[in-house]
């Protein structure tokens, strides 16, 4: 009868070591796969948000400075010709433009803070969907204010006639959130030439505090350049080094390492303003 023979101590130790090595490799693959999956999700989320907000802002900004006296149905309790002249000469509202609230307007944020953008146009509703008490289908002077608060890009819609002190407020302005996880929002303004030969093309880009003086020099804003720095949800990624980003004319800032970030920039010609400048020659 043959005696039963088991594993020696050396064989058991070798088996345990091989098992640990294989287990470690499997764990490393799983961890790496989890990290990659979280990063892919973060990239996808940020890019989807960037595409959405770029499309929305593009659609809303295309009509900045528009005032159609021919085909639009406009409430004429205020002289639409005078109102058209105001909107076309003030497509970008700056601080001091509105009698009812002189503090409202586009502003250049101090170092490290966000800009605010305020635009005027003729439309049937503001950025929140409010008609401000006008009849269905009736266009009015819409003023939209875009700004960031608590890392949310928000928009407040106003009745331009109320802001100018020409009409009593019927519907209070409301604010909606357009996008969350916004780390920065900055704007530059393309201005035309001041000569009689102005073509409606932007000859240089400026910040909000320069607009009033340029407006006095017969130079109009004919294009917008905006940039949004969008971040992923917290703890989706863990980067080894804190990233740095410079948005438009701003200095580079160091950000948290537990987000994925991406800058979305677009330059848009304001077609109504280009035509207005050309026709004013």
């Amino acid at each position: 009868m043959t005696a039963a023979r088991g594993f020696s101590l050396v064989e058991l130790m070798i088996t345990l070591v091989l098992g640990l090595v294989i287990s470690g490799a499997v764990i490393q693959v799983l961890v790496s796969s989890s990290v990659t999956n979280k990063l892919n999700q973060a990239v996808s989320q940020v890019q989807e948000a960037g595409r959405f907000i770029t499309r929305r802002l593009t659609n809303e900004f295309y009509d900045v400075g528009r005032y159609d006296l021919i085909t639009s149905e406009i409430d004429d309790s205020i002289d639409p010709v005078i109102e058209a002249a105001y909107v076309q000469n003030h497509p970008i509202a700056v601080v001091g433009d509105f009698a009812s609230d002189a503090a409202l307007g586009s502003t250049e944020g101090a170092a490290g803070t966000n800009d605010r953008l305020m635009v005027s146009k003729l439309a049937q509703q503001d950025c929140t969907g409010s008609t401000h008490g006008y009849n269905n289908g009736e266009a009015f002077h819409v003023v939209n204010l875009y700004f960031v608060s608590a890392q949310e890009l928000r928009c407040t819609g106003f009745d331009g006639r109320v802001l100018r002190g020409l009409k009593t407020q019927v519907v209070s302005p409301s604010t909606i959130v357009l996008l969350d996880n916004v780390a920065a929002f900055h704007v530059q303004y393309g201005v035309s030439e001041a000569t009689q030969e102005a073509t409606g093309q932007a000859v240089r880009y400026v910040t909000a505090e320069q607009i009033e003086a340029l407006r006095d020099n017969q130079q109009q804003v004919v294009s917008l350049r905006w940039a949004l720095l969008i971040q992923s949800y917290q703890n989706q990624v863990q980067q080894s080094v804190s990233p740095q980003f410079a948005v438009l004319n701003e200095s580079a800032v160091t950000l948290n390492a537990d987000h994925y970030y991406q800058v979305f920039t677009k330059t848009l010609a304001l077609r109504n303003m280009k035509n207005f400048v050309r026709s004013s020659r």
Side-chain angles (χ1 to χ4, degrees):
M1 183 176 180
T2 304
R5 183 174 180 275
F7 293 104
S8 68
L9 181 59
V10 173
E11 289 173 327
L12 287 172
M13 293 180 65
I14 292 173
T15 302
L16 288 172
V17 170
L18 289 175
L20 289 172
V21 171
I22 294 172
S23 298
V26 171
I27 292 172
Q28 183 63 36
V29 170
L30 292 175
V31 170
S32 178
S33 176
S34 176
V35 170
T36 301
N37 183 54
K38 287 182 179 180
L39 177 60
N40 289 338
Q41 289 180 342
V43 172
S44 176
Q45 174 237 324
V46 168
Q47 290 183 344
E48 182 179 356
R51 287 192 294 268
F52 160 76
I53 198 61
T54 299
R55 284 195 300 269
R56 166 141 191 176
L57 294 181
T58 297
N59 291 335
E60 293 187 7
F61 293 164
Y62 257 135
D63 289 338
V64 169
R66 170 183 177 268
Y67 204 102
D68 181 7
L69 288 166
I70 299 175
T71 63
S72 296
E73 180 184 345
I74 306 171
D75 177 275
D76 60 1
S77 59
I78 303 296
D79 188 336
V81 175
I82 295 176
E83 188 170 68
Y86 180 87
V87 172
Q88 291 166 342
N89 283 284
H90 301 78
I92 306 299
V94 297
V95 174
D97 276 352
F98 297 121
S100 67
D101 191 341
L104 277 178
S106 302
T107 56
E108 170 76 4
T113 60
N114 296 295
D115 296 348
R116 293 163 66 91
L117 170 63
M118 200 167 196
V119 301
S120 285
K121 61 181 179 179
L122 183 74
Q124 295 179 2
Q125 60 184 27
D126 65 22
C127 60
T128 72
S130 174
T131 61
H132 289 269
Y134 291 94
N135 295 327
N136 186 35
E138 204 167 46
F140 62 101
H141 176 193
V142 167
V143 178
N144 291 330
L145 173 63
Y146 301 85
F147 62 99
V148 171
S149 178
Q151 294 195 323
E152 294 175 335
L153 178 64
R154 303 178 183 181
C155 184
T156 303
F158 300 88
D159 181 345
R161 294 178 175 183
V162 173
L163 292 181
R164 294 179 63 205
L166 304 176
K167 178 176 178 284
T168 302
Q169 184 167 285
V170 176
V171 178
S172 297
S174 59
T175 301
I176 61 170
V177 176
L178 301 178
L179 188 71
D180 57 7
N181 290 318
V182 176
F185 174 55
H186 296 288
V187 187
Q188 290 181 322
Y189 308 85
V191 294
S192 65
E193 297 173 288
T195 67
Q196 290 298 314
E197 300 302 319
T199 62
Q201 300 294 328
V203 294
R204 66 186 178 113
Y205 281 84
V206 300
T207 50
E209 74 275 6
Q210 299 172 272
I211 291 177
E212 186 174 8
L214 292 168
R215 187 194 289 165
D216 292 340
N217 193 42
Q218 305 302 312
Q219 292 180 266
Q220 287 287 356
V221 175
V222 292
S223 66
L224 288 176
R225 177 180 293 158
W226 74 89
L228 285 157
L229 176 60
I230 302 176
Q231 66 185 34
S232 64
Y233 296 115
Q234 192 170 15
N235 298 324
Q236 267 191 304
V237 297
Q238 289 293 333
Q239 303 182 66
S240 57
V241 178
S242 296
Q244 284 192 330
F245 284 90
V247 182
L248 290 187
N249 58 313
E250 299 294 310
S251 302
V253 293
T254 302
L255 304 168
N256 295 330
D258 56 357
H259 295 279
Y260 169 77
Y261 301 87
Q262 190 168 336
V263 177
F264 294 85
T265 304
K266 182 161 185 176
T267 300
L268 179 70
L270 306 179
R271 54 190 176 186
N272 295 283
M273 291 309 302
K274 289 180 64 175
N275 293 334
F276 173 69
V277 170
R278 290 169 180 167
S279 64
S280 299
R281 288 188 300 182

